[in-house]
């Protein structure tokens, strides 16, 4: 999709040289429906402006995130003046206006996701051994200060790639999984080469819109930990389960802008159960409270009743007002006339990811 050019006009109070500028902004171009997108930005200026620059930016490591709307001229004026200055009483030169405009545009950086594979390790389980790759998932710029990582084997990359081919064969025509060597798979040179190639592979996948929005994409980074966490929960090892589930939640929250809004609900529900059994009602209430808005909005009735029930119980323990939650639970159960599950949240959670 390409954005139509928009005009930005700024006026300088009397006594200064008037400036008139028009800028054309190009957006993201999608090739062949869901193919790789190139983020292109250009600006052309006319009038007494001394120079114009055209810039094209494309990175193979990331794809453009959600686009930002053009800034209203009034907002530009607010950015150009210091606090306390009158809106139009100050006199800005052409150079100052240009500097303020550039600073404003630099501050509007879209959210992007980055994948790094900084390290590897060889795991030996006689009579076999394999290489494990650490994948760090992070958001670019100042949007994310938490870096979370998971470990995957080459066989898991291979299985993931074949799953994607089943749904996106056409989109993956130019994306190739690094091949497996018949010999020297454990030499430092081969491991280093494959580490960089797999890092580039993940970036290319993320650059394809329909793939980064696919449940297969999020599942590659979270499903093994999700299964381990639920297995530990069923075994009563709640603290170890929390560690696994928190890693899952951190990654899901990073992926959430490109995934279904209900992505985090099962993880938050499992965390609420673990914290409750660890006798930490504060954390249990907070996890359930975080899951509830998406559950309400998207009609996950079986989760809604169970979450409300847990929040009412832990809310009483914490001395919080829960009358509204109790009323919502009563109305929900009465309205559905027995269709709403009466199972507890724990009974629901232990059946997930079996």
């Amino acid at each position: 999709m390409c954005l139509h050019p928009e005009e930005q006009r700024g006026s300088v109070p009397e006594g200064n040289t008037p400036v008139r500028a028009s800028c054309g902004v190009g957006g993201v171009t999608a090739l062949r429906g869901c193919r790789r997108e190139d983020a292109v930005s250009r600006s052309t200026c006319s009038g007494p402006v001394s120079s114009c620059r055209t810039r094209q930016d494309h990175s193979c490591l990331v794809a453009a995130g959600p686009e930002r709307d053009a800034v209203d001229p009034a907002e530009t004026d607010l950015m150009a003046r210091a606090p306390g200055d009158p809106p139009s009483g100050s006199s800005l030169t052409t150079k100052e206006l240009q500097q303020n405009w550039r600073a404003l545009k630099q501050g509007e950086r879209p959210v992007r996701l980055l994948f790094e594979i900084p390290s590897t390790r060889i795991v030996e389980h006689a009579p076999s051994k394999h290489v494990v790759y650490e994948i760090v998932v992070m958001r670019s710029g100042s949007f994310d200060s938490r870096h979370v990582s998971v470990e995957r084997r080459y066989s898991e990359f291979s299985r993931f790639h074949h799953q994607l081919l089943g749904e996106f064969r056409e989109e993956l025509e130019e994306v190739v999984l690094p091949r497996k060597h018949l010999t020297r798979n454990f030499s430092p040179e081969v491991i280093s080469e494959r580490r960089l190639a797999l890092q580039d592979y993940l970036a290319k996948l993320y650059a394809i819109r329909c793939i980064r929005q696919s449940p297969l994409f999020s599942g590659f980074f979270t499903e093994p930990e999700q299964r381990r966490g639920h297995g530990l929960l069923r075994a009563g090892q709640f603290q170890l389960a929390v560690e696994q589930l928190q890693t899952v939640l951190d990654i899901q929250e990073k992926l959430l802008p490109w995934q279904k809004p209900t992505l985090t609900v099962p993880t938050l529900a499992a965390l609420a159960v673990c914290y409750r059994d660890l006798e930490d009602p504060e954390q249990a209430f907070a996890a359930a409270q975080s899951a509830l808005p998406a559950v309400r909005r998207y009609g996950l009735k079986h989760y809604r009743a169970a979450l409300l029930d847990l929040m009412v119980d832990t809310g009483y323990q914490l001395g919080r007002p829960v009358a509204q939650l109790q009323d919502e639970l009563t109305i929900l159960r009465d309205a559905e006339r027995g269709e709403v599950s009466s199972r507890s949240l724990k009974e629901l959670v232990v059946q997930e990811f079996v």
Side-chain angles (χ1 to χ4, degrees):
M1 177 178 75
C2 296
L3 300 179
H4 295 290
E6 299 177 1
E7 293 188 355
Q8 297 288 347
R9 291 197 174 108
S11 60
V12 181
E14 239 178 271
N16 292 293
T17 303
V19 177
R20 178 184 178 90
S22 63
C23 298
V25 180
V28 174
T29 303
L31 301 179
R32 300 182 66 178
C34 289
R35 302 305 297 273
R36 190 171 307 136
E37 305 124 7
D38 294 339
V40 180
S41 175
R42 74 174 183 275
S43 64
T44 58
C45 304
S46 60
V49 181
S50 59
S51 62
C52 300
R53 294 187 297 177
T54 301
R55 178 174 64 87
Q56 179 174 357
D57 179 24
H58 171 252
S59 170
C60 67
L61 288 179
V62 295
E67 294 173 316
R68 306 292 296 271
D69 294 331
V71 179
D72 188 81
E75 295 179 5
T76 306
D77 179 60
L78 289 174
M79 294 296 295
R81 56 192 174 87
D85 288 348
S88 58
S90 60
S91 298
L92 295 176
T93 65
T94 300
K95 183 178 180 180
E96 289 172 333
L97 286 171
Q98 292 173 338
Q99 289 174 343
N100 287 328
W101 175 250
R102 282 196 295 268
L104 182 63
K105 295 301 288 183
Q106 289 175 357
E108 293 187 343
R109 297 176 180 175
V111 177
R112 305 180 182 208
L113 212 56
L114 301 175
F115 304 93
E116 291 184 0
I117 303 182
S119 64
T120 61
R121 63 188 181 93
I122 298 176
V123 178
E124 295 193 49
H125 293 296
S128 65
K129 65 178 180 178
H130 59 269
V131 180
V132 171
Y133 300 86
E134 180 194 15
I135 307 170
V136 177
V137 183
M138 55 188 166
R139 289 189 184 181
S140 62
S142 59
F143 294 97
D144 186 13
S145 59
R146 296 175 303 156
H147 295 175
V148 60
S149 66
V150 293
E151 290 185 331
R152 296 291 181 267
R153 300 174 55 175
Y154 179 83
S155 60
E156 292 174 295
F157 276 95
S158 179
R159 183 164 55 250
F160 174 47
H161 188 71
H162 282 86
Q163 289 174 337
L164 291 175
L165 285 174
E167 293 190 27
F168 308 106
R169 182 169 296 275
E170 182 180 351
E171 289 76 15
L172 290 171
E173 285 180 354
E174 299 177 8
V175 180
V176 179
L177 178 71
R179 64 185 180 88
K180 187 173 184 178
H181 295 270
L182 296 177
T183 59
R184 302 181 66 249
N185 280 298
F186 300 102
S187 68
E189 296 80 9
V190 170
I191 292 176
S192 178
E193 178 184 344
R194 182 178 291 172
R195 176 181 64 82
L196 295 175
L198 289 173
Q199 180 174 289
D200 186 56
Y201 169 76
L202 290 175
K204 288 178 179 178
L205 289 180
Y206 181 75
I208 303 173
R209 180 183 302 170
C210 53
I211 289 181
R212 69 174 177 264
Q213 293 176 347
S214 168
L216 292 174
F217 190 77
S218 61
F220 172 72
F221 296 99
T222 60
E223 189 171 332
E225 288 73 21
Q226 189 83 275
R227 290 187 179 279
R228 283 198 293 269
H230 278 74
L232 291 166
L233 186 155
R234 287 189 287 270
Q237 301 182 51
F238 301 112
Q239 189 58 55
L240 293 175
V242 165
E243 295 173 7
Q244 292 288 319
L245 293 168
Q246 189 59 55
T247 297
V248 172
L249 182 62
D250 288 344
I251 293 179
Q252 288 177 335
E253 288 177 342
K254 296 175 193 296
L255 296 170
L256 197 55
W258 304 277
Q259 293 284 321
K260 291 182 178 179
T262 56
L263 177 67
T264 60
V265 169
T267 309
L268 287 167
L271 282 168
V273 169
C274 288
Y275 283 125
R276 183 178 185 177
D277 281 19
L278 287 170
E279 299 183 356
D280 189 345
E282 183 79 34
Q283 293 279 19
F285 187 92
Q289 188 177 40
S290 297
L292 193 56
V295 167
R296 283 170 173 159
R297 182 172 182 179
Y298 297 97
L300 305 182
K301 295 178 182 178
H302 59 299
Y303 271 117
R304 184 177 177 183
L307 286 168
L308 287 169
D309 188 57
L310 182 143
M311 291 179 68
V312 168
D313 185 48
T314 54
Y316 275 126
Q317 295 181 46
L318 297 168
R320 296 187 180 182
V322 295
Q324 290 185 346
L325 296 174
Q326 182 66 69
D327 290 344
E328 181 182 349
L329 179 59
T330 301
I331 292 171
L332 178 65
R333 285 178 171 163
D334 289 346
E336 299 298 331
R337 299 183 181 277
E339 293 181 16
V340 173
S341 173
S342 60
R343 290 181 296 176
S344 69
L345 188 61
K346 188 173 184 177
E347 289 174 319
L348 291 174
V349 166
V350 295
Q351 296 181 14
E352 298 278 356
F353 303 96
V354 176

